Amino acid sequence: MPDNDSGTPGPRDPETITRIKRDATQRLLAIPNVVAVGIGPKMTGDAATGEPAIKVFVREKLPAERVPAGELIPPRIEGVLTDVELGGDEIPITAPVDEPGVFNIAAQPFDDTTQRPVQGGYQLTSVGSTGHGTLGCLLWDPANHEVGYALTNMHVVQPPDITSVTKNVTKLGQPAGDDSSSKCCNDVIGLFAGGGKSADRDEALVKLSPAMKWQAKIVGIGLVAGKHTLIQNDVTGTPYKVAKRGQRSTLTGGTISAMQATTGTGETDNLIIIKPNPNTSAGTQTVYFAIEGDSGSALVNAANEVVALVKSRDDAGNAYAFHIDHVLKRLKDTDGVTAEVATATSETDVHTVPGGTFVEVPPEVAERVAADPADRSAFTGSGGRAPLNAPWFSDIVPSPRTVAAVLDDLAASESGRLLLALWRARGAEVRALVDGNRHVTIMWHRGGGAALMQLMLRLPADPRRALPATLNGEPLMACVDRLAAVLAREGTPGLRADLARARAVLPDLSGMTYARLVAVLGAAPDAAKELIVDA
């Protein structure tokens, strides 16, 4: 299509355009108002002309008469069209940060959903940090597709409150950084396996833990079809549509404004700049493609192929991402980790990381898992055995709404309030014993404590679900009493006393549904009222 300023088409050869852009970049970035230079489609209004252009991003778009003569962007550079778009300085998008008064940020909640099997698009947190970002997508080892990695930004793995990270030591959790071997309070999914942050990179790998289940899927987007090597011709004709799923702004769509972009912070020919789709409900407020909490999101095209890793935004609404090929090459060349974007063709394509120490699953639990499709899809064991160092069920952590409902139900009775008070007083000690006392840890798993905990955590989600009458062939309450005796023997005198108080109001759990358990707890207020004093 001829250019309006001369009627002559500009060069279309990608190598020529790249050379001309590179030669002009530093000269353009020296203009005070310019923040980035890339290559993308020439736009007239909101429509692409079909011509490639050198894209110049500025903090403020001004009429030509208000721009000093030496700072005007020429309509062409060596025959290549130019196109000026609104941009801004890059802002990392690790939460928690809020900028009130802009669309899609202050009012947007964080998605702290627990997802097992592990998938892309969910919250990811370093153990010990208050910051968090997004697990973008899953990678696999080309030599063994069961070995999985989570891909995110390095500034998610090492936010400001984490002074240093160590390969194969630093733990990452999904959604939070809770770390407990009891598994009822353990979000850890793997260890930092490589990555770095500099002017030219911001990526990190998390190697998933042995026995962890994972799936090549991004919530809200679907099964991942692989990666696409984005080239100049992809983005310089018609607008190239992309999407991402971040744990803060969830699913957003946009188009690629430029690739091979360079900013004043030094990312030479390394960046992809994404413009968000318009949102009519935003009014005069800025629409953002990605916001605080979305760092680490995978950028995908219409074919569900990963094209880039999102890392930052500007205050004009644009997002910035690193080309996925650059990311994978740096991880291989600098960190020695060869990984590929994992793919899936069916919802049943679920992988289990090899390794881990296994214990026998109580047969009652194994039978229940085999009979219940919901349990069977979440179960992480095999052959009647389950990993000691990973949850027996992949979705054992209830949602915040479920937790709130359970707390309300327990608070409605004297017995429930007593159990809540005792857990708040002694829960940390119980977790410490299960985590740090080897005798308690082994007894907890082999004696059925882990199985019972997982089954109880699953009760509120399904009114038909009931606890078994036995574990390992013994009455369920005999197992409970044996576990309580181990905790009492290894714990403090205060714990021993409070375990006895809790046992006095705890009904026989055999065959209990959640509704029945709540009803029974509410049926004996007098005994609980006497015991709750000073709890």
Side-chain angles (χ1 to χ4, degrees), residues 23-59:
D23 290 346
T25 292
Q26 293 309 313
R27 183 169 73 253
L28 292 168
L29 287 174
I31 298 173
N33 194 32
V34 175
V35 293
V37 181
I39 299 171
K42 173 67 177 177
M43 306 294 291
T44 299
D46 292 328
T49 68
E51 282 282 311
I54 294 174
K55 307 284 284 193
V56 183
F57 295 84
V58 298
R59 293 187 183 89

Side-chain angles (χ1 to χ4, degrees), residues 384-441:
R385 303 167 73 229
L388 184 66
N389 61 339
W392 284 10
F393 293 99
S394 64
D395 58 351
I396 62 168
V397 181
S399 71
R401 285 188 293 273
T402 301
V403 171
V406 170
L407 292 177
D408 287 344
D409 288 341
L410 291 177
S413 70
E414 297 286 358
S415 297
R417 287 194 292 275
L418 171 65
L419 293 175
L420 282 175
L422 294 179
W423 177 251
R424 287 167 180 151
R426 301 297 174 187
E429 182 179 354
V430 171
R431 287 195 296 268
L433 286 170
V434 174
D435 286 347
N437 184 308
R438 180 169 174 78
H439 180 66
V440 174
T441 301

Side-chain angles (χ1 to χ4, degrees), residues 328-339:
L328 297 178
K329 187 175 188 303
R330 288 189 293 260
L331 289 168
K332 180 179 180 179
D333 294 348
T334 305
D335 302 291
V337 181
T338 300

